[in-house]
Amino acid sequence: MSLKSTNLEAITQPGEGPLRRQSHTYDLMRQCIHCGFCLPTCPTYAVLGVEMDSPRGRIYQMQAVAEGRMEVSPEFVDHMYCCLGCRACETACPSGVQFGKLIEAAREQIQLEVAHRPPVNGQPKRGETEEPLAMGDEDYPLHTELPRTPALETLTERLLRRFFFDIVLPSRLVTSLVFAGLKVYQRSGLQSLAHRTGLIDLANALPTPLQGKLKTPEELMPPASGDLLPRPLPEITPASGRRRYRVGFISGCIMDQVFRDINEASIRVLAANGCEVITPPQQHCCGALHVHAGEADQGRRLARHNIDVFDPYNCDVIIINSAGCGSNLKEYGHLLRDDPAYAERGQAFSAKVKDISEFLASIELNQDMGEVSRTVAYHDACHLVHGQKIKQQPRQLLQTIPGITMVNLKEADWCCGSAGIYNITNQEMASTLLERKMNNIGATGASVIATGNPGCMMQIALGARERGMEIDVVHPIQLLDEAYRAGGLYEIPVRDVTTKQRQQRSLLIGIGIGVLAGMLLVRQRRRRSIS
């Protein structure tokens, strides 16, 4: 295809980053034959009908950037981050294009460009040059007006990115404190008060950079459960009966804070199937959210740390119960391919990683189950079915449970709109996709929706709450755990409620004292500045 330009000398091939000629990523994008089989499977193309928001169109733009025919512009950023990263196109592609790796590389390239450009207040300005820099052909038109040095993000976006990706996720302590604050907000009555008085709507309507975007993150948080500051999971959980496997367990960051009960159920189920479960307390976030968002350097640092942590335990398998995390963990080898010290270790680590349903479906499963009378529909998490090619195993596990009636969910493998943090950053598109998913769920008549990813669980549960649907959203492992308990294989240990209440009361008092101290400190500084 020809690409005409009026000012090609103004655009240069990137000097660093993955979107360059003679790179691994460039070879991957050249596998695309532009056949269009991916188009009907792409959720954003289905909604928008825009070629540049299809996998084929996005690859065309990536190649144009790599060859110096197009700049990393605000429009390029929009098209790359409008992608859900669901990887449905990979399942449909006859050429085996690994689109997940390509979209992550494009976002990494964007973040490298962002680091060299100052942010702006408000929305990035576009079309600030009179002379067009580049145009495509009739089939693939590129943007006709591009700023020569466009700002790619706002100051607010940059600060939020740095807080979330550099401060919160890499630190288990900070993550715990942030979620403790959210639990206090819910349990103290502040959330109910904010809704009753309209404070949430008022804050959401204020003319700030986050105007209209505050309600969804607040509504996504499920009702708080568990301790304010969860204790670390046991480092070693012995197998029930004869030990058949020694498995490492990735507890995750968001999963361990929001869905601790799923982690605990996972360990019980694994132990009941002859697994000695190793859960290293030193493990960190797996880096999935970083890599998917273009923060690849931080993702690589987290990957190296986790490899170092798990290596000494010499596990047979490393188990993960979160689809998005599992997809990233299985690609540590690719992520660290240019690191001489970790390339082979990354490949070896990834070779051991298995989703919990994938692992349990591959072994002789303990059949000591009681009856669980539920009508269940299964939703395929994108990074499980498309990223890891795991489709039948979760269904096989559910079908082994006595009393479970499985019903078909139309478009079970169509994205629900969660996609990591997509439902926070791209709320309108995420809401449109959720509407489609909830319509299909409502038609099943199921009382339970099972899915293997925390983001999907939160998104679908939000959809159910908004529509007043009485549906439980669970992880498949929770139903298996319930079956084992119903069969008398084990019981959940009773916790010391009094001790827990004392600990939570002490934490609440500590947070209150900290807030007061902070207010006094700010007040003191203001007085000094005035004087």
Side-chain angles (χ1 to χ4, degrees), residues 15 19 69-70 134 163 185 220 263 270 308 331 411 419 446 472:
L19 291 193
R69 298 181 285 119
M70 180 180 176
F163 175 71
Y185 169 67
L220 272 170
N263 276 350
L270 289 167
D308 290 339
E331 293 179 356
E411 297 182 335
D472 292 328

Side-chain angles (χ1 to χ4, degrees), residues 216-232:
T216 297
E218 195 260 358
E219 291 172 345
L220 272 170
M221 180 69 177
S225 61
D227 299 341
L228 287 181
L229 288 175
R231 293 181 179 181

Side-chain angles (χ1 to χ4, degrees), residues 18-19 25 29 58 61-62 65 72 76-77 79-81 99-113 291-294:
L19 291 193
T25 303
M29 70 178 71
R58 290 185 177 109
Q61 292 172 86
M62 293 177 205
V65 169
V72 175
F76 179 78
V77 174
H79 291 310
M80 296 304 115
Y81 279 99
F99 188 80
K101 293 182 173 66
L102 293 179
I103 195 66
E104 289 167 3
R107 290 172 178 174
E108 181 181 358
Q109 188 71 51
I110 288 168
Q111 292 310 310
L112 287 171
E113 295 282 343
V291 174
H292 299 333

Side-chain angles (χ1 to χ4, degrees), residues 111-268:
Q111 292 310 310
L112 287 171
E113 295 282 343
V114 163
H116 296 126
R117 304 186 193 183
V120 295
N121 291 317
Q123 292 300 314
K125 297 179 181 179
R126 299 174 186 177
E128 293 181 342
T129 179
E130 295 179 0
E131 186 179 21
L133 292 180
M135 295 184 293
D137 55 28
E138 292 179 359
D139 294 327
Y140 297 90
L142 297 181
H143 308 285
T144 57
E145 290 189 356
L146 295 173
R148 295 184 185 278
T149 55
L152 301 179
E153 69 177 359
T154 65
L155 180 60
T156 302
E157 290 169 344
R158 180 168 296 188
L159 291 174
L160 286 174
R161 261 187 172 265
R162 298 285 63 82
F163 175 71
F164 186 66
F165 289 119
D166 295 349
I167 297 174
V168 177
L169 289 181
S171 168
R172 296 188 76 87
L173 175 61
V174 176
T175 303
S176 295
L177 289 173
V178 168
F179 279 95
L182 290 172
K183 292 172 185 176
V184 169
Y185 169 67
Q186 289 186 336
R187 295 176 185 177
S188 64
L190 284 173
Q191 186 178 38
S192 298
L193 178 65
H195 282 272
R196 283 199 311 269
T197 59
L199 282 174
I200 288 292
D201 293 326
L202 179 62
N204 197 43
L206 289 175
T208 68
L210 299 175
Q211 185 177 18
K213 299 179 181 179
L214 292 175
K215 282 190 72 174
T216 297
E218 195 260 358
E219 291 172 345
L220 272 170
M221 180 69 177
S225 61
D227 299 341
L228 287 181
L229 288 175
R231 293 181 179 181
L233 293 164
E235 183 175 1
I236 300 177
T237 302
S240 299
R242 182 177 65 87
R243 190 187 89 175
R244 294 191 287 159
Y245 307 96
R246 188 176 215 227
V247 304
F249 182 67
I250 304 282
S251 58
C253 45
I254 306 299
M255 178 67 96
D256 204 40
Q257 294 296 327
V258 181
F259 298 108
R260 167 58 74 98
D261 54 337
I262 297 178
N263 276 350
E264 293 171 342
S266 298
I267 291 173
R268 287 193 296 268

